Amino acid sequence: MYVLWILLIPFFLSIVLLYFYFRLYYGWGSLFTEECIQPPRPLVTDKKSRDKVLKQGFSQDKIPPNLDALVIGSGVGGLAAAAALAKAGKRVLVLEQHDQAGGSCHTFQEHGYEFDVGLHYVGQMHEGGMFRVIMDQLTDGQLQWNRLGDQYDSVIIGHKVYRLYAGKQEFPDSLKNQFPGEEEAIDKFVTLMKKVARHVPLLAMLKMIPHYLALFLLKSGLLHRLSPVFRLAESSHQDVVGRLTSNKELQTMFSYLFYGVPPNDSSFMINALLLHHYKRGAWYPRGGSSEIAFHMIPVIERAGGMVLVRAPVKRILLNNGRATGVAVQKKDKEICIYAPVVISDAGIFNTYEHLLPPEVRNTPEVDSLLSSLQYGMGCFLVFVGICGASDELGLKSTNLWIYSESDLNSLMEKFQSLEWEEVCEQLPLMFITFPSAKDPTYSQRHPGHSCMTLLTMAPYDWFHQWSGQKPRQRGDEYQGMKMQLAEHMVERAIKEFPQLQGKIEYMEAATPVSNEYYLRAPKGSMYGAEQNCSRYQCEIIGRMRSQTVVPGLYLTGQDVFSSGVAGAVHGGLLCASAVLNKILYIDLLMLKKRLKRRIRQRRS
């Protein structure tokens, strides 16, 4: 241990010196302050007022002059990077190919119902929590959150129902009550979960330090001595939990937050982070998930930037190998827009394979990185409109995860081999959630209406023959195929919630090619590059950073850090840190400490 501390002292000294170097050279002012947090204004429900923010259409005369940066894509990763840069006074133009901003956090309305498309719930939004501090700063405190009930998730395994409860002590205690005799395994898992959560900032460090230093730490063996998080990142989730318990159902409870990868090929670190993310509770945006973009965009605009939609970027412009701007395709002509910094929220595959010329994609450095990654799993979503308010129907904010058996590795292997009819009839895994029950404003905005979202995994190959075709032009075979699965999923949901019988008024389904069309998600992937063990090898972690092989070009979003809303936001902060040459997390940590001190004083 003494030797380890001798090794750590120079490392931490270098981090401190690096921090003060950046602060002295680039200015002492913090981007993040308590003063920017304003009292929340009333919820804006007027469609025209919201469209002015979320659906500002692209035209050449709207391009701000003297841009500091361009962002391709308005997903939460792109908006987070743009908002952080705007806090530094940078003029940023965000370009979105869809007809509204927000990426997977946008919503749509049909037949009087409103549906979210990607955000189902978010953790760590408790007062003083780091993610809450981050989101407050990126929205000036205007984004409000509604906490779900203490019992935020239920998991059905075969015919048994297990429940997850929020709270530092309630979380493990509830598991112990449901799995008597497994107390030691649960305690060990929670200990590992805490260890991962405490040490995960070191992964961000690995992406921010110079790449040559990251390689030195890796090849010298010092990296794994610094923290156990690097070993846990590379470890299979199944290997770790298999050593804790042989109880398959408890193993499933340690793995139930499904993102398309079986436990034997997923990183233990990611699964542990996901469970820890909700340990203090789960939250949902008041007003729906589109509120995230609605409140980030004004921060960008205040610095002179814009977020423009219907602006499909066709290529990144290069000059002597440096990114200098983008070309937007409008009808039969290209409109070139220039800026010294170009940021891509389009994902690592889209960026290198479609937006850059082949000679960049084929460089050994890029080719070896992309060869180490896989396209992520697609999903199949069903959006259901229900007659009646959520409270009248007894619908709760609790999410329901359904697995037909306890061995998730075997289940997912079987899933891949099933014929279409078998998938529809057996439905090996499914997720059910009621967005209208999570948001108390839903009943005010859509009186007498409720909504339900159903989800299952869906390999892209099921629907690849319709790739590239526009919605509603894919023919009867496509429509019949997707609605066949949708109807079976609704029938399964009604078994769990019989009060919905006869109440369903609207139903629509989205396939991986829907995600590919509306979100430009490669092969309809839910969470960017596959979240498997290969991606979380330390060498790949160090290379999956914001800086690219092209000077002036940066990446943001899920592929930079990890999956989901939180992962995409952290990708945005890492990107902004790289562009600004500031370690933004240090400012955030200092702000968080000040806020927690105020909270303690207020409560004492």
Side-chain angles (χ1 to χ4, degrees):
M1 183 61 72
Y2 176 76
V3 174
L4 181 58
W5 276 109
I6 293 296
L7 292 170
L8 285 173
I9 288 171
F11 167 74
F12 284 117
L13 282 175
S14 66
I15 291 294
V16 172
L17 290 173
L18 188 66
Y19 168 66
F20 282 108
Y21 165 75
F22 283 136
R23 294 301 291 271
L24 284 169
Y25 190 81
Y26 292 99
W28 278 90
S30 172
L31 306 189
F32 307 115
T33 65
E34 299 97 318
E35 289 71 28
C36 79
I37 306 300
Q38 301 296 317
R41 293 181 287 273
L43 182 69
V44 177
T45 58
D46 177 68
K47 187 177 185 301
K48 289 184 179 180
S49 299
R50 295 186 68 81
D51 286 352
K52 285 180 182 179
V53 177
L54 296 171
K55 296 187 176 183
Q56 183 77 254
F58 175 86
S59 64
Q60 199 160 3
D61 63 306
K62 292 180 182 177
I63 300 172
N66 304 316
L67 289 171
D68 294 301
L70 284 162
V71 179
I72 305 167
S74 70
V76 70
L79 292 176
L85 292 176
K87 291 273 184 178
K90 303 299 182 182
R91 186 173 294 178
V92 186
L93 174 61
V94 181
L95 299 168
E96 169 59 49
Q97 56 86 29
H98 193 18
D99 64 2
Q100 61 179 301
S104 292
C105 289
H106 81 269
T107 60
F108 70 95
Q109 296 191 28
E110 289 288 346
H111 298 269
Y113 297 96
E114 180 181 321
F115 303 97
D116 57 29
V117 299
L119 187 153
H120 304 303
Y121 52 154
V122 174
Q124 295 181 317
M125 280 298 162
H126 55 282
E127 188 180 22
M130 175 57 92
F131 197 48
R132 177 63 176 268
V133 172
I134 291 170
M135 296 302 283
D136 281 350
Q137 289 295 308
L138 297 179
T139 63
D140 287 346
Q142 296 306 300
L143 182 59
Q144 300 298 295
W145 298 88
N146 186 61
R147 190 177 188 274
L148 277 60
D150 286 339
Q151 201 244 304
Y152 58 91
D153 273 344
S154 290
V155 184
I156 296 179
I157 304 173
H159 299 291
K160 295 182 181 178
V161 182
Y162 297 98
R163 296 172 175 83
L164 277 297
Y165 288 86
K168 283 186 175 181
Q169 199 56 48
E170 291 82 356
F171 176 83
D173 285 351
S174 65
L175 284 175
K176 291 175 184 178
N177 290 334
Q178 296 172 88
F179 291 94
E182 295 287 348
E183 291 82 3
E184 183 180 357
I186 293 166
D187 283 337
K188 287 181 178 179
F189 181 83
V190 170
T191 298
L192 287 172
M193 196 168 67
K194 291 177 181 176
K195 189 175 293 186
V196 165
R198 283 198 305 267
H199 291 220
V200 76
L202 292 174
L203 267 72
M205 173 275 294
L206 193 63
K207 294 173 180 291
M208 287 191 285
I209 62 176
H211 189 228
Y212 68 83
L213 180 55
L215 282 176
F216 167 75
L217 291 171
L218 179 61
K219 291 184 178 180
S220 66
L222 290 175
L223 191 66
H224 288 80
R225 293 187 182 186
L226 285 175
S227 166
V229 74
F230 298 108
R231 175 181 56 79
L232 293 172
E234 295 180 330
S235 299
S236 153
H237 183 71
Q238 184 62 51
D239 286 347
V240 176
V241 299
R243 290 194 292 269
L244 298 179
T245 178
S246 60
N247 187 310
K248 288 295 184 182
E249 293 184 357
L250 181 55
Q251 289 181 12
T252 296
M253 295 303 293
F254 291 157
S255 321
Y256 82 95
L257 285 165
F258 173 75
Y259 51 91
V261 185
N264 59 13
D265 192 31
S266 62
S267 163
F268 174 81
M269 177 197 71
I270 292 299
N271 286 280
L273 276 179
L274 284 170
L275 284 175
H276 184 271
H277 184 66
Y278 296 108
K279 192 177 72 170
R280 294 283 290 269
W283 284 259
Y284 188 83
R286 289 177 64 89
S289 60
S290 64
E291 286 289 285
I292 295 176
F294 187 74
H295 291 300
M296 282 189 182
I297 291 173
V299 175
I300 298 165
E301 292 177 338
R302 193 167 57 246
M306 291 283 286
V307 178
L308 301 177
V309 303
R310 297 189 295 280
V313 171
K314 289 301 177 183
R315 58 193 178 96
I316 295 169
L317 304 175
L318 303 179
N319 185 6
N320 293 324
R322 182 179 184 86
T324 57
V326 301
V328 174
Q329 186 72 44
K330 292 304 287 184
K331 295 184 179 179
D332 57 348
K333 68 174 183 177
E334 281 188 346
I335 298 173
C336 294
I337 310 171
Y338 297 94
V341 170
V342 177
I343 297 169
S344 177
D345 189 32
I348 194 168
F349 287 113
N350 276 337
T351 302
Y352 281 119
E353 295 180 344
H354 301 298
L355 298 177
L356 289 167
E359 55 266 29
V360 176
R361 162 64 179 87
N362 295 330
T363 59
E365 185 176 347
V366 174
D367 184 64
S368 66
L369 177 58
L370 295 186
S371 298
S372 303
L373 305 172
Q374 299 175 20
Y375 291 101
M377 176 61 73
C379 67
F380 186 94
L381 288 160
V382 184
F383 306 104
V384 184
I386 305 165
C387 178
S390 294
D391 54 354
E392 296 171 358
L393 295 169
L395 304 179
K396 304 296 183 184
S397 62
T398 304
N399 306 289
L400 180 60
W401 301 78
I402 303 175
Y403 296 102
S404 61
E405 60 180 79
S406 60
D407 188 337
L408 296 189
N409 295 305
S410 173
L411 183 149
M412 292 184 65
E413 184 179 346
K414 291 176 186 176
F415 185 91
Q416 299 279 7
S417 64
L418 291 175
E419 297 293 331
W420 178 253
E421 295 291 339
E422 294 174 317
V423 170
C424 293
E425 292 173 5
Q426 296 181 24
L427 288 174
L429 52 98
M430 197 169 99
F431 173 72
I432 303 175
T433 187
F434 297 97
S436 56
K438 300 175 188 177
D439 176 14
T441 74
Y442 193 96
S443 60
Q444 302 165 22
R445 296 180 291 118
H446 307 283
H449 291 69
S450 300
C451 65
M452 173 175 67
T453 302
L454 312 176
L455 181 150
T456 190
M457 61 182 273
Y460 181 75
D461 288 347
W462 286 356
F463 300 96
H464 77 279
Q465 68 191 83
W466 293 285
S467 176
Q469 299 179 21
K470 293 184 178 180
R472 299 180 178 84
Q473 295 181 15
R474 297 181 182 133
D476 293 340
E477 184 183 356
Y478 171 83
Q479 185 68 17
M481 184 175 172
K482 75 171 188 176
M483 295 313 293
Q484 180 187 9
L485 178 55
E487 287 167 2
H488 280 280
M489 290 174 69
V490 170
E491 288 174 8
R492 180 68 180 86
I494 290 176
K495 286 184 179 179
E496 300 300 327
F497 303 96
Q499 68 268 40
L500 301 183
Q501 188 72 52
K503 298 288 185 179
I504 293 172
E505 292 188 330
Y506 172 80
M507 183 170 65
E508 184 53 279
T511 71
V513 294
S514 306
N515 287 340
E516 187 178 50
Y517 179 84
Y518 288 111
L519 304 176
R520 292 296 188 267
K523 297 195 173 182
S525 57
M526 296 183 289
Y527 299 116
E530 189 73 287
Q531 304 282 317
N532 56 11
C533 278
S534 297
R535 174 172 169 174
Y536 291 102
Q537 298 301 298
C538 289
E539 180 192 359
I540 303 302
I541 291 173
R543 295 174 66 190
M544 292 275 281
R545 54 177 57 211
S546 281
Q547 298 93 332
T548 71
V549 298
V550 179
L553 174 64
Y554 299 82
L555 300 177
T556 185
Q558 296 184 115
D559 286 346
V560 173
F561 194 71
S562 67
S563 63
V565 173
V569 168
H570 283 296
L573 289 174
L574 287 169
C575 178
S577 295
V579 172
L580 296 170
N581 285 317
K582 282 179 176 283
I583 307 174
L584 297 183
Y585 284 100
I586 295 180
D587 289 339
L588 286 164
L589 283 168
M590 293 170 68
L591 174 61
K592 178 187 173 185
K593 285 189 175 182
R594 293 196 301 271
L595 292 173
K596 291 195 82 170
R597 189 159 53 243
R598 289 187 180 184
I599 292 169
R600 285 195 297 268
Q601 290 172 352
R602 190 179 71 235
R603 291 175 178 174
S604 62

